[in-house]
Amino acid sequence: MTARTVRLMPVLACAAALVTTGCVDRRFVIESNVPNAQVYIDNRPIGPAPAHSPFEYYGYYTVKIVQPGYETREERVHVTAPWYAYPPIDFLAEVVWPFRIRDTRRYYFQLYEATQTRTDDILNAADALRLRGLNLPAPERPADPRPPKKPPQAAPLPPPAAQPGLVPSVLP
């Protein structure tokens, strides 16, 4: 080995260490009692339940689960940061630590079947509302509107004085 190669060994070792450093994989796993229910996180479609999605930051997210025949479930969840996500430890965990850290957050949502309203109930409620409207007293006559205020009139301009030598034009 040459002296130059010996001097480059530490540099190559540092470069290899940086290439093989780990990172933090953050993922949501949203599960539901209804398979294939559509999952949205912050109004972004993720896929059918159980849905997997990466997330970038710790904090609040709005999770919505929709399935025909079931009541839509929307809930705000708080993803708390682990101890290694605070500065300056986060730099060490994401850049220097040579292993991969997996942070998987699992949430389970229970969906309930939508209640079907009977047609008779809707018609009865409409009839009751109609009767309430018929029993209301007659409306009072509204007050006459005030006439709008007129802006002050400017004095009319005097007609232009005829200048000698000018012939007035006559329009057809």
Short mmCIF file of all heavy atoms in Angstrom, two decimals, residues 98-145:
data_model
loop_
_atom_site.label_atom_id
_atom_site.label_comp_id
_atom_site.label_asym_id
_atom_site.label_seq_id
_atom_site.Cartn_x
_atom_site.Cartn_y
_atom_site.Cartn_z
N PRO A 98 -26.54 3.87 13.06
CA PRO A 98 -26.35 3.02 11.88
C PRO A 98 -27.48 2.03 11.61
O PRO A 98 -27.43 1.29 10.64
CB PRO A 98 -25.05 2.27 12.19
CG PRO A 98 -25.00 2.23 13.68
CD PRO A 98 -25.65 3.50 14.15
N PHE A 99 -28.50 2.02 12.42
CA PHE A 99 -29.59 1.07 12.24
C PHE A 99 -30.88 1.80 11.90
O PHE A 99 -31.03 2.98 12.16
CB PHE A 99 -29.78 0.22 13.50
CG PHE A 99 -28.52 -0.45 13.95
CD1 PHE A 99 -27.82 0.00 15.05
CD2 PHE A 99 -28.02 -1.54 13.24
CE1 PHE A 99 -26.65 -0.61 15.45
CE2 PHE A 99 -26.85 -2.15 13.64
CZ PHE A 99 -26.16 -1.68 14.74
N ARG A 100 -31.81 1.06 11.34
CA ARG A 100 -33.11 1.63 10.97
C ARG A 100 -34.05 1.57 12.17
O ARG A 100 -34.15 0.54 12.83
CB ARG A 100 -33.68 0.83 9.81
CG ARG A 100 -34.97 1.38 9.25
CD ARG A 100 -35.35 0.61 8.01
NE ARG A 100 -34.35 0.75 6.98
CZ ARG A 100 -34.40 1.65 5.99
NH1 ARG A 100 -35.43 2.45 5.91
NH2 ARG A 100 -33.46 1.71 5.10
N ILE A 101 -34.74 2.68 12.43
CA ILE A 101 -35.73 2.74 13.51
C ILE A 101 -37.11 2.74 12.86
O ILE A 101 -37.38 3.55 11.99
CB ILE A 101 -35.54 4.01 14.37
CG1 ILE A 101 -34.16 4.01 15.01
CG2 ILE A 101 -36.64 4.10 15.42
CD1 ILE A 101 -33.84 5.30 15.74
N ARG A 102 -37.97 1.83 13.29
CA ARG A 102 -39.32 1.75 12.74
C ARG A 102 -40.31 2.24 13.80
O ARG A 102 -40.38 1.68 14.89
CB ARG A 102 -39.66 0.33 12.34
CG ARG A 102 -38.81 -0.18 11.21
CD ARG A 102 -39.28 -1.54 10.74
NE ARG A 102 -38.31 -2.14 9.85
CZ ARG A 102 -38.22 -1.91 8.56
NH1 ARG A 102 -39.06 -1.06 8.01
NH2 ARG A 102 -37.31 -2.50 7.83
N ASP A 103 -41.03 3.29 13.45
CA ASP A 103 -42.04 3.85 14.33
C ASP A 103 -43.40 3.65 13.66
O ASP A 103 -43.78 4.38 12.76
CB ASP A 103 -41.77 5.34 14.55
CG ASP A 103 -42.73 5.95 15.56
OD1 ASP A 103 -43.52 5.22 16.16
OD2 ASP A 103 -42.68 7.18 15.73
N THR A 104 -44.11 2.60 14.10
CA THR A 104 -45.41 2.26 13.51
C THR A 104 -46.50 2.59 14.51
O THR A 104 -46.48 2.10 15.64
CB THR A 104 -45.46 0.77 13.14
OG1 THR A 104 -44.38 0.49 12.25
CG2 THR A 104 -46.77 0.42 12.46
N ARG A 105 -47.45 3.40 14.08
CA ARG A 105 -48.58 3.78 14.93
C ARG A 105 -49.83 3.10 14.40
O ARG A 105 -50.20 3.28 13.25
CB ARG A 105 -48.78 5.30 14.93
CG ARG A 105 -47.55 6.07 15.34
CD ARG A 105 -47.18 5.74 16.80
NE ARG A 105 -45.94 6.37 17.16
CZ ARG A 105 -45.86 7.40 17.97
NH1 ARG A 105 -46.94 7.92 18.50
NH2 ARG A 105 -44.68 7.91 18.26
N ARG A 106 -50.46 2.30 15.25
CA ARG A 106 -51.66 1.56 14.86
C ARG A 106 -52.88 2.20 15.52
O ARG A 106 -52.87 2.50 16.72
CB ARG A 106 -51.56 0.11 15.29
CG ARG A 106 -50.50 -0.65 14.57
CD ARG A 106 -50.50 -2.12 15.00
NE ARG A 106 -49.53 -2.86 14.24
CZ ARG A 106 -49.75 -3.38 13.04
NH1 ARG A 106 -50.93 -3.23 12.49
NH2 ARG A 106 -48.81 -4.03 12.41
N TYR A 107 -53.91 2.40 14.71
CA TYR A 107 -55.18 2.94 15.20
C TYR A 107 -56.31 2.05 14.71
O TYR A 107 -56.32 1.64 13.54
CB TYR A 107 -55.39 4.38 14.71
CG TYR A 107 -54.36 5.33 15.27
CD1 TYR A 107 -53.22 5.66 14.54
CD2 TYR A 107 -54.51 5.88 16.52
CE1 TYR A 107 -52.27 6.52 15.05
CE2 TYR A 107 -53.56 6.74 17.05
CZ TYR A 107 -52.45 7.06 16.30
OH TYR A 107 -51.50 7.90 16.81
N TYR A 108 -57.24 1.77 15.60
CA TYR A 108 -58.38 0.92 15.27
C TYR A 108 -59.65 1.74 15.44
O TYR A 108 -59.84 2.41 16.46
CB TYR A 108 -58.41 -0.31 16.19
CG TYR A 108 -59.55 -1.25 15.88
CD1 TYR A 108 -59.43 -2.18 14.86
CD2 TYR A 108 -60.73 -1.18 16.60
CE1 TYR A 108 -60.47 -3.03 14.57
CE2 TYR A 108 -61.78 -2.03 16.31
CZ TYR A 108 -61.64 -2.95 15.29
OH TYR A 108 -62.68 -3.79 14.98
N PHE A 109 -60.52 1.69 14.42
CA PHE A 109 -61.76 2.43 14.44
C PHE A 109 -62.94 1.48 14.27
O PHE A 109 -62.92 0.64 13.37
CB PHE A 109 -61.78 3.49 13.33
CG PHE A 109 -60.75 4.55 13.53
CD1 PHE A 109 -59.52 4.46 12.93
CD2 PHE A 109 -61.03 5.65 14.32
CE1 PHE A 109 -58.56 5.43 13.11
CE2 PHE A 109 -60.08 6.64 14.52
CZ PHE A 109 -58.84 6.53 13.91
N GLN A 110 -63.93 1.65 15.12
CA GLN A 110 -65.14 0.84 15.06
C GLN A 110 -66.18 1.61 14.26
O GLN A 110 -66.51 2.73 14.59
CB GLN A 110 -65.64 0.59 16.49
CG GLN A 110 -66.87 -0.26 16.58
CD GLN A 110 -66.55 -1.73 16.53
OE1 GLN A 110 -65.45 -2.15 16.81
NE2 GLN A 110 -67.53 -2.51 16.14
N LEU A 111 -66.68 1.00 13.17
CA LEU A 111 -67.76 1.60 12.38
C LEU A 111 -69.08 0.96 12.77
O LEU A 111 -69.14 -0.23 13.06
CB LEU A 111 -67.51 1.40 10.89
CG LEU A 111 -66.32 2.14 10.28
CD1 LEU A 111 -66.26 1.89 8.79
CD2 LEU A 111 -66.41 3.62 10.55
N TYR A 112 -70.13 1.76 12.76
CA TYR A 112 -71.47 1.29 13.11
C TYR A 112 -72.37 1.39 11.88
O TYR A 112 -72.24 2.32 11.10
CB TYR A 112 -72.05 2.10 14.27
CG TYR A 112 -71.20 2.01 15.50
CD1 TYR A 112 -70.34 3.05 15.85
CD2 TYR A 112 -71.23 0.88 16.30
CE1 TYR A 112 -69.54 2.98 16.97
CE2 TYR A 112 -70.43 0.80 17.43
CZ TYR A 112 -69.59 1.84 17.76
OH TYR A 112 -68.79 1.75 18.86
N GLU A 113 -73.29 0.43 11.77
CA GLU A 113 -74.20 0.45 10.64
C GLU A 113 -75.07 1.69 10.69
O GLU A 113 -75.49 2.13 11.76
CB GLU A 113 -75.09 -0.80 10.65
CG GLU A 113 -74.34 -2.06 10.28
CD GLU A 113 -75.26 -3.24 10.07
OE1 GLU A 113 -76.38 -3.02 9.57
OE2 GLU A 113 -74.85 -4.34 10.42
N ALA A 114 -75.33 2.26 9.52
CA ALA A 114 -76.17 3.45 9.43
C ALA A 114 -77.61 3.06 9.70
O ALA A 114 -78.09 2.02 9.24
CB ALA A 114 -76.03 4.08 8.05
N THR A 115 -78.29 3.89 10.46
CA THR A 115 -79.69 3.62 10.74
C THR A 115 -80.54 4.10 9.57
O THR A 115 -80.35 5.21 9.07
CB THR A 115 -80.14 4.33 12.02
OG1 THR A 115 -79.88 5.72 11.89
CG2 THR A 115 -79.38 3.80 13.23
N GLN A 116 -81.44 3.27 9.13
CA GLN A 116 -82.32 3.62 8.02
C GLN A 116 -83.58 4.27 8.59
O GLN A 116 -84.26 3.69 9.44
CB GLN A 116 -82.69 2.36 7.22
CG GLN A 116 -81.52 1.68 6.56
CD GLN A 116 -80.94 2.54 5.46
OE1 GLN A 116 -81.64 3.30 4.81
NE2 GLN A 116 -79.65 2.43 5.25
N THR A 117 -83.87 5.46 8.12
CA THR A 117 -85.08 6.16 8.55
C THR A 117 -86.24 5.67 7.71
O THR A 117 -86.15 5.63 6.48
CB THR A 117 -84.90 7.67 8.40
OG1 THR A 117 -83.71 8.06 9.07
CG2 THR A 117 -86.07 8.42 8.97
N ARG A 118 -87.33 5.32 8.36
CA ARG A 118 -88.49 4.83 7.63
C ARG A 118 -89.18 5.99 6.92
O ARG A 118 -89.21 7.12 7.41
CB ARG A 118 -89.47 4.16 8.59
CG ARG A 118 -88.91 2.93 9.24
CD ARG A 118 -89.89 2.26 10.13
NE ARG A 118 -90.96 3.18 10.56
CZ ARG A 118 -91.97 2.83 11.32
NH1 ARG A 118 -92.05 1.60 11.76
NH2 ARG A 118 -92.90 3.69 11.67
N THR A 119 -89.76 5.71 5.77
CA THR A 119 -90.45 6.73 4.99
C THR A 119 -91.63 7.30 5.74
O THR A 119 -91.90 8.51 5.68
CB THR A 119 -90.91 6.12 3.65
OG1 THR A 119 -89.80 5.49 3.02
CG2 THR A 119 -91.46 7.18 2.73
N ASP A 120 -92.35 6.46 6.50
CA ASP A 120 -93.50 6.93 7.28
C ASP A 120 -93.07 7.98 8.30
O ASP A 120 -93.78 8.96 8.53
CB ASP A 120 -94.19 5.77 7.98
CG ASP A 120 -94.84 4.80 7.00
OD1 ASP A 120 -95.09 5.23 5.85
OD2 ASP A 120 -95.12 3.65 7.38
N ASP A 121 -91.91 7.77 8.94
CA ASP A 121 -91.42 8.74 9.93
C ASP A 121 -91.13 10.09 9.27
O ASP A 121 -91.43 11.15 9.84
CB ASP A 121 -90.17 8.21 10.63
CG ASP A 121 -90.46 6.99 11.48
OD1 ASP A 121 -91.64 6.79 11.85
OD2 ASP A 121 -89.50 6.25 11.78
N ILE A 122 -90.54 10.08 8.09
CA ILE A 122 -90.22 11.33 7.38
C ILE A 122 -91.51 12.05 6.99
O ILE A 122 -91.63 13.27 7.18
CB ILE A 122 -89.36 11.03 6.14
CG1 ILE A 122 -87.99 10.48 6.57
CG2 ILE A 122 -89.18 12.28 5.30
CD1 ILE A 122 -87.15 10.00 5.43
N LEU A 123 -92.52 11.31 6.48
CA LEU A 123 -93.79 11.93 6.08
C LEU A 123 -94.53 12.49 7.29
O LEU A 123 -95.13 13.58 7.23
CB LEU A 123 -94.65 10.92 5.33
CG LEU A 123 -94.13 10.51 3.95
CD1 LEU A 123 -95.00 9.43 3.35
CD2 LEU A 123 -94.06 11.72 3.03
N ASN A 124 -94.52 11.79 8.42
CA ASN A 124 -95.16 12.29 9.63
C ASN A 124 -94.50 13.56 10.13
O ASN A 124 -95.18 14.50 10.56
CB ASN A 124 -95.17 11.22 10.72
CG ASN A 124 -96.09 10.07 10.39
OD1 ASN A 124 -97.01 10.21 9.57
ND2 ASN A 124 -95.85 8.92 11.00
N ALA A 125 -93.17 13.62 10.09
CA ALA A 125 -92.46 14.82 10.52
C ALA A 125 -92.76 15.99 9.58
O ALA A 125 -92.92 17.14 10.02
CB ALA A 125 -90.95 14.55 10.56
N ALA A 126 -92.89 15.72 8.28
CA ALA A 126 -93.22 16.78 7.33
C ALA A 126 -94.62 17.30 7.57
O ALA A 126 -94.87 18.52 7.51
CB ALA A 126 -93.08 16.26 5.90
N ASP A 127 -95.59 16.43 7.84
CA ASP A 127 -96.96 16.86 8.13
C ASP A 127 -97.02 17.70 9.40
O ASP A 127 -97.73 18.71 9.46
CB ASP A 127 -97.89 15.65 8.26
CG ASP A 127 -98.17 14.98 6.92
OD1 ASP A 127 -98.02 15.67 5.88
OD2 ASP A 127 -98.53 13.78 6.92
N ALA A 128 -96.28 17.31 10.43
CA ALA A 128 -96.26 18.07 11.67
C ALA A 128 -95.67 19.46 11.43
O ALA A 128 -96.17 20.46 11.97
CB ALA A 128 -95.46 17.32 12.73
N LEU A 129 -94.65 19.56 10.63
CA LEU A 129 -94.04 20.85 10.32
C LEU A 129 -95.00 21.72 9.51
O LEU A 129 -95.11 22.92 9.75
CB LEU A 129 -92.72 20.64 9.55
CG LEU A 129 -91.90 21.88 9.28
CD1 LEU A 129 -91.47 22.53 10.58
CD2 LEU A 129 -90.68 21.52 8.45
N ARG A 130 -95.74 21.11 8.60
CA ARG A 130 -96.71 21.85 7.80
C ARG A 130 -97.82 22.41 8.71
O ARG A 130 -98.24 23.56 8.57
CB ARG A 130 -97.31 20.94 6.73
CG ARG A 130 -98.21 21.67 5.76
CD ARG A 130 -98.76 20.76 4.65
NE ARG A 130 -97.69 20.16 3.86
CZ ARG A 130 -97.39 18.85 3.86
NH1 ARG A 130 -98.09 18.01 4.58
NH2 ARG A 130 -96.42 18.38 3.12
N LEU A 131 -98.31 21.62 9.66
CA LEU A 131 -99.34 22.10 10.59
C LEU A 131 -98.82 23.24 11.46
O LEU A 131 -99.55 24.19 11.75
CB LEU A 131 -99.83 20.95 11.46
CG LEU A 131 -100.74 19.94 10.76
CD1 LEU A 131 -101.05 18.77 11.68
CD2 LEU A 131 -102.02 20.62 10.29
N ARG A 132 -97.57 23.14 11.89
CA ARG A 132 -96.98 24.24 12.67
C ARG A 132 -96.94 25.52 11.85
O ARG A 132 -97.19 26.61 12.35
CB ARG A 132 -95.55 23.88 13.10
CG ARG A 132 -95.47 23.23 14.43
CD ARG A 132 -94.06 22.94 14.88
NE ARG A 132 -93.20 24.11 14.83
CZ ARG A 132 -91.87 24.05 14.82
NH1 ARG A 132 -91.27 22.88 14.82
NH2 ARG A 132 -91.16 25.14 14.81
N GLY A 133 -96.64 25.39 10.57
CA GLY A 133 -96.59 26.56 9.70
C GLY A 133 -97.96 27.17 9.49
O GLY A 133 -98.10 28.39 9.40
N LEU A 134 -99.01 26.34 9.41
CA LEU A 134 -100.36 26.86 9.23
C LEU A 134 -100.88 27.55 10.47
O LEU A 134 -101.73 28.43 10.39
CB LEU A 134 -101.31 25.71 8.83
CG LEU A 134 -101.08 25.11 7.44
CD1 LEU A 134 -101.99 23.91 7.24
CD2 LEU A 134 -101.32 26.17 6.37
N ASN A 135 -100.40 27.17 11.64
CA ASN A 135 -100.86 27.75 12.90
C ASN A 135 -100.10 29.00 13.30
O ASN A 135 -100.38 29.58 14.34
CB ASN A 135 -100.78 26.72 14.03
CG ASN A 135 -101.79 25.60 13.82
OD1 ASN A 135 -102.84 25.81 13.22
ND2 ASN A 135 -101.45 24.42 14.29
N LEU A 136 -99.16 29.43 12.52
CA LEU A 136 -98.41 30.64 12.84
C LEU A 136 -99.30 31.86 12.63
O LEU A 136 -100.17 31.86 11.75
CB LEU A 136 -97.17 30.76 11.94
CG LEU A 136 -96.04 29.79 12.20
CD1 LEU A 136 -94.94 29.97 11.16
CD2 LEU A 136 -95.46 30.01 13.58
N PRO A 137 -99.12 32.93 13.42
CA PRO A 137 -99.92 34.15 13.21
C PRO A 137 -99.52 34.81 11.89
O PRO A 137 -98.43 34.60 11.38
CB PRO A 137 -99.55 35.04 14.41
CG PRO A 137 -98.23 34.52 14.87
CD PRO A 137 -98.20 33.07 14.53
N ALA A 138 -100.46 35.64 11.38
CA ALA A 138 -100.18 36.34 10.12
C ALA A 138 -99.02 37.31 10.34
O ALA A 138 -98.92 37.93 11.40
CB ALA A 138 -101.42 37.09 9.66
N PRO A 139 -98.18 37.47 9.35
CA PRO A 139 -97.05 38.38 9.53
C PRO A 139 -97.51 39.83 9.56
O PRO A 139 -98.51 40.20 8.94
CB PRO A 139 -96.18 38.10 8.30
CG PRO A 139 -97.11 37.54 7.29
CD PRO A 139 -98.16 36.81 8.05
N GLU A 140 -96.82 40.64 10.32
CA GLU A 140 -97.14 42.06 10.37
C GLU A 140 -96.65 42.72 9.09
O GLU A 140 -95.69 42.27 8.48
CB GLU A 140 -96.45 42.70 11.58
CG GLU A 140 -96.98 42.19 12.90
CD GLU A 140 -96.26 42.85 14.07
OE1 GLU A 140 -95.55 43.85 13.85
OE2 GLU A 140 -96.41 42.36 15.19
N ARG A 141 -97.37 43.85 8.75
CA ARG A 141 -96.96 44.56 7.55
C ARG A 141 -95.69 45.32 7.88
O ARG A 141 -95.63 46.05 8.88
CB ARG A 141 -98.06 45.53 7.12
CG ARG A 141 -97.71 46.24 5.86
CD ARG A 141 -98.92 46.96 5.31
NE ARG A 141 -98.54 47.52 4.04
CZ ARG A 141 -98.52 48.81 3.79
NH1 ARG A 141 -98.88 49.67 4.72
NH2 ARG A 141 -98.16 49.26 2.61
N PRO A 142 -94.66 45.17 7.06
CA PRO A 142 -93.42 45.89 7.36
C PRO A 142 -93.62 47.39 7.18
O PRO A 142 -94.49 47.85 6.45
CB PRO A 142 -92.43 45.33 6.34
CG PRO A 142 -93.26 44.79 5.25
CD PRO A 142 -94.56 44.37 5.86
N ALA A 143 -92.82 48.17 7.85
CA ALA A 143 -92.88 49.63 7.75
C ALA A 143 -92.51 50.05 6.33
O ALA A 143 -91.74 49.38 5.64
CB ALA A 143 -91.92 50.25 8.76
N ASP A 144 -93.10 51.19 5.93
CA ASP A 144 -92.77 51.71 4.60
C ASP A 144 -91.30 52.11 4.58
O ASP A 144 -90.80 52.71 5.54
CB ASP A 144 -93.64 52.92 4.26
CG ASP A 144 -95.10 52.52 4.05
OD1 ASP A 144 -95.31 51.36 3.65
OD2 ASP A 144 -95.99 53.35 4.30
N PRO A 145 -90.64 51.81 3.49
CA PRO A 145 -89.23 52.21 3.43
C PRO A 145 -89.10 53.73 3.33
O PRO A 145 -89.95 54.41 2.77
CB PRO A 145 -88.72 51.51 2.17
CG PRO A 145 -89.93 51.28 1.35
CD PRO A 145 -91.07 51.11 2.30
#
